[in-house]
Amino acid sequence: MDSFISAGLIGLSLGAQYALLALGFALIFGILGVVNFAHGGFYLLGGYVAYVGVSWFGMPYPLAVVCAALATAVLGYLFELLLLERVIDNHLATLILTLGLYLVICTAVVVVFGPDAPLFQFPVDGVLHFGGVYLPLANLIVFAVCFAAIGVTYGLLYRTNFGRSLRALSEDRPVAVALGIRARVMFPLAFALATGLAGMTGALVTPILSLTPHVGDPVLAASFLVVILGGLGSLGGATIAAFLVGLVEAYAAVYLGGSKGALMLFVLVLIVLLVRPTGLMGVRTRGA
């Protein structure tokens, strides 16, 4: 019973991480109509920016996390404004551009830092235990920060004029533009929000797991899996699916083993899509 509870707590921590990543991925798709293949690259970049801040400049780790979020948000803003905006209605071109950016980020990281993983550790270690249940303090801190960031993101999207404008553009872009919402102003800001979330997640998670030039590959796969499971264009569905995937992954790793755990995730997605082809909370996206 204790191992069951411990696995569940780890699963919730994983779910919070996946939710932050999936929110950004779903946000870009729902508002811009773009499948962002560079999402894993911003996660990777966030980890390396935090590493540089801590190891090269002696920053406190929390400040390095903030710098990672800001740096990836600025890069995302400039990328959308200067490049992606020019081909925003050409889906093939946006796929090529985002994939190209991901390859550029990975190559630049290898050139600057080399192919090996740098020594980057979470500043807090130790294990919290009550009864027979054990939970690493690092996972608990990451869960708390990610959960708070999810709450702030939802507040921004559902309690501010900025969020209402973004959701209006995702629902019906021509009508939103006719009502005075400036899409060319809002799109880069939406992209910056999504990439900032990815960068912050990378800065939080890579010290616990690993920081390598190709750590973004599984992140992109996980984000895509979660968004499909939750329903393309649905922020609520992405959040629910993220926690579901985190729990399935944690329990499968404990009771079935790593490779079988990965198989369980794909089986879960197939079952859900057979029952609900639009995902858990899929909505019809009318194209940004």
Side-chain angles (χ1 to χ4, degrees):
M1 185 63 183
D2 291 338
S3 62
F4 184 85
I5 296 175
S6 297
L9 294 174
I10 295 296
L12 290 175
S13 177
L14 286 172
Q17 300 165 26
Y18 290 153
L20 266 188
L21 291 168
L23 275 177
F25 198 92
L27 188 68
I28 292 175
F29 179 82
I31 295 172
L32 280 73
V34 172
V35 178
N36 182 21
F37 278 103
H39 205 61
F42 287 101
Y43 170 92
L44 162 70
L45 193 60
Y48 273 96
V49 170
Y51 164 72
V52 168
V54 171
S55 301
W56 294 12
F57 298 104
M59 289 183 183
Y61 176 69
L63 178 59
V65 172
V66 173
C67 289
L70 291 176
T72 51
V74 170
L75 178 60
Y77 181 90
L78 294 175
F79 175 69
E80 202 289 331
L81 182 67
L82 300 177
L83 296 176
L84 203 60
E85 183 63 34
R86 300 173 182 270
V87 293
I88 196 68
D89 293 318
N90 186 331
H91 297 299
L92 180 59
T94 58
L95 288 177
I96 294 173
L97 269 179
T98 55
L99 181 59
L101 178 61
Y102 177 62
L103 295 176
V104 167
I105 291 174
C106 291
T107 304
V109 165
V110 172
V111 170
V112 175
F113 299 97
D116 299 325
L119 181 61
F120 186 33
Q121 296 179 334
F122 201 81
V124 177
D125 55 9
V127 177
L128 180 69
H129 61 89
F130 45 96
V133 177
Y134 294 85
L135 180 66
L137 286 174
N139 290 79
L140 183 62
I141 293 171
V142 170
F143 171 77
V145 175
C146 289
F147 197 79
I150 292 169
V152 171
T153 302
Y154 268 94
L156 184 64
L157 292 175
Y158 289 93
R159 292 290 184 267
T160 66
N161 289 332
F162 170 73
R164 294 185 187 98
S165 298
L166 291 182
R167 289 187 289 115
L169 286 169
S170 69
E171 287 294 326
D172 199 317
R173 179 179 172 184
V175 172
V177 171
L179 292 174
I181 298 175
R182 300 173 64 186
R184 294 200 173 189
V185 173
M186 302 304 294
F187 282 175
L189 292 174
F191 207 88
L193 174 60
T195 55
L197 290 175
M200 186 182 73
T201 309
L204 288 170
V205 176
T206 51
I208 299 176
L209 300 179
S210 66
L211 181 60
T212 67
H214 300 289
V215 74
D217 295 346
V219 167
L220 176 61
S223 300
F224 200 61
L225 187 73
V226 168
V227 170
I228 290 176
L229 182 61
L232 288 171
S234 172
L235 298 178
T239 305
I240 293 172
F243 282 99
L244 181 60
V245 167
L247 289 170
V248 169
E249 184 174 326
Y251 283 122
V254 171
Y255 294 106
L256 298 178
S259 59
K260 293 180 181 178
L263 177 62
M264 282 295 297
L265 289 178
F266 287 102
V267 170
L268 173 66
V269 172
L270 287 174
I271 292 174
V272 170
L273 293 181
L274 283 174
V275 178
R276 286 184 58 84
T278 58
L280 294 175
M281 297 178 62
V283 294
R284 184 180 179 183
T285 305
R286 282 184 272 186

